[in-house]
Amino acid sequence: MPHTPELLAPAGTLKAMRYAFAYGADAVYAGQPRYSLRVRENDFHKPEVMAAAIAEAHQLGKRFYLASNIAAHNSKVATYLNDLEPVVAMGPDALIMSDPGLIMLVRERWPELPVHLSVQANAVNWATVKFWQQLGLERIILSRELSIEEVEEIRRRCPDIGLEVFVHGALCIAYSGRCLLSGYFNHRDANQGACTNACRWQYDVTPATQTVEGNIEPLATPVHVISQHDKPDEPMAIEEDEHGTYIMNSKDLRAVQHVPRFVEMGLDSLKIEGRTKSHFYVARTVQTYRRAIDDAVAGRPFDLSLMDDLESLSNRGYTEGFYRRHPPGVYQNYEHGASRMERHQFVGEVLEEVDGWLRIEVKNRFALGDQLELMTPAGNSGFRLEELRDDRNQPAQLAPGDGHVVRIRRPAPGPMTFGLLLRYLPEHA
């Protein structure tokens, strides 16, 4: 039987971690305050929450990795070891790091602590992998800019070190995150963990010209082109639709179709991006990639419906990234540049079961007659909503939206510790 790779999920919050494990993740990664590339406020800025999360993961037989992967300036080098010491005492299973100096300090202070090389270090060849292996690192997270054939060659030449690849999530318009847009536009350095995702914003295109005084003034013409300075005969149109333009925006990575190949080549970990995403995003991606991994290990053919399941997540359109230059037509999905959600909408979360009724914390509006899907770790059940009650147990026609609690009849048997409710959008109902 083929080696089963680890399924590694993002955990920006304790809740997201719990959903990741419930829906099939083997491990999660979370950020260390001040030294992670996601420094936005989240649960793990509280030491007691970090300690509880690591302990809870270990009680479940799961792994908890700590991202500590900034490119550190002198001020952060000075405080790094002292700040890291209490976190190391909590027992994370590995540190995810990119800065050679910080890696050196950690290897000197805690030589037995596993270190994984962050994607920020941009390992793109087998010689780089061997270099870091000689320094004692246990796993290399390969750069997103590699083709499948390049990943396979690295695996062949480096058979005795852990290799990890990203399979889902946002892509940077930079070499695996080494981007300056956020720092330029907003004075928040992405390489210090303060990225504002400037490449993913909507921009409004307005034609303009510069006057002799140096002022910028709008033009009436709707035509916009850009061209490389030394190639004036090769103009490129800047396209804008009703959503604006997303010219600096990459589509999101979706590589679930390549899971069988990754399993076959013996990769050690398949990683989902998204520490700032919701627990619904975590649950949905984990559930989908769990099925893909289990099918591949069991020798079952890839199920194309798994690609459709990921359409229920808000996305910028999907791409295979650099894995394959020319994907077959059945996999192509390049029609949209704006954020979208194709098949489902996340509308509620199960709070508890009371006498055969599920109490639902409403996230988005739904109503009697809607086609819904209950998503649980044990499996998903589609059904048409025929009965609905408010939280006082009175008949209702509508779940109005966020902030309300309603009740629906349980559509399927099984444990109900975790449950998420989705609504099929009208064109797919």
Side-chain angles (χ1 to χ4, degrees), residues 31-275:
Q32 179 193 4
R34 185 170 158 81
Y35 303 103
S36 162
L37 287 186
R38 289 291 181 267
V39 298
R40 301 174 194 175
E41 287 298 326
N42 61 51
D43 289 359
F44 300 114
H45 282 74
K46 303 172 185 174
E48 64 274 17
V49 175
M50 177 81 77
I54 294 172
E56 188 173 320
H58 292 165
Q59 288 168 4
L60 294 170
K62 308 285 188 174
R63 294 176 290 279
F64 189 105
Y65 303 138
L66 186 68
S68 187
N69 57 346
I70 63 163
H73 289 221
N74 289 334
S75 61
K76 289 188 176 179
V77 174
T79 59
Y80 183 69
L81 291 180
N82 285 340
D83 289 351
L84 185 61
E85 189 164 14
V87 184
V88 170
M90 299 174 190
D93 294 277
L95 298 185
I96 301 171
M97 305 183 68
S98 66
D99 187 293
L102 297 188
I103 291 173
M104 175 189 71
L105 295 177
V106 166
R107 298 286 299 147
E108 290 173 351
R109 175 75 70 90
W110 299 285
E112 302 304 316
L113 180 62
V115 174
H116 297 174
L117 187 71
S118 170
V119 72
Q120 293 295 121
N122 304 133
V124 296
N125 62 71
W126 59 265
T128 296
V129 172
K130 286 185 176 292
F131 168 82
W132 287 108
Q133 184 178 15
Q134 289 176 358
L135 293 183
L137 273 64
E138 294 194 358
R139 180 185 294 181
I140 307 299
I141 305 168
L142 296 175
S143 177
R144 294 180 177 97
E145 289 72 34
L146 296 174
S147 69
I148 286 183
E149 290 74 21
E150 289 176 304
V151 173
E152 195 164 38
E153 181 179 0
I154 292 172
R155 174 78 289 173
R156 185 176 70 252
R157 289 178 176 268
C158 306
D160 53 350
I161 186 171
L163 294 180
E164 176 178 309
V165 297
F166 277 89
V167 290
H168 198 91
L171 292 172
C172 297
I173 301 296
Y175 235 92
S176 285
R178 294 192 175 192
C179 179
L180 296 174
L181 284 177
S182 176
Y184 179 77
F185 288 146
N186 307 104
H187 308 290
R188 291 178 57 181
D189 188 350
N191 302 295
Q192 297 297 308
C195 181
T196 59
N197 299 109
C199 67
R200 301 178 71 77
W201 297 345
Q202 173 183 329
Y203 292 87
D204 297 322
V205 176
T206 303
T209 187
Q210 187 171 16
T211 68
V212 292
E213 294 83 12
N215 298 320
I216 301 297
E217 294 183 355
L219 288 176
T221 174
V223 178
H224 307 75
V225 296
I226 58 174
S227 59
Q228 193 171 320
H229 183 70
D230 58 349
K231 296 180 181 178
D233 297 329
E234 299 180 16
M236 295 175 287
I238 301 177
E239 298 178 346
E240 182 178 21
D241 60 17
E242 69 273 16
H243 302 289
T245 182
Y246 296 82
I247 190 169
M248 291 184 291
N249 185 300
S250 170
K251 294 178 174 66
D252 291 338
L253 175 65
R254 176 181 59 185
V256 66
Q257 64 272 34
H258 296 307
V259 167
R261 184 85 173 268
F262 292 144
V263 169
E264 181 183 0
M265 70 176 69
L267 295 185
D268 297 276
S269 182
L270 305 184
K271 186 173 191 172
I272 297 166
E273 183 276 339
R275 277 185 283 149

Side-chain angles (χ1 to χ4, degrees), residues 15 19 279 348-354 357-363 374 391 403-407 416-421:
K15 184 174 187 176
Y19 272 83
H279 60 287
E349 180 178 339
V350 175
L351 297 176
E352 62 178 337
E353 180 180 1
V354 180
W357 288 78
L358 300 178
R359 293 185 69 236
I360 304 293
E361 182 180 354
V362 181
K363 301 297 184 181
L374 181 64
D391 205 29
H404 293 80
V405 174
V406 298
R407 303 183 185 207
M416 196 56 65
T417 306
F418 294 87
L420 298 170
L421 194 65

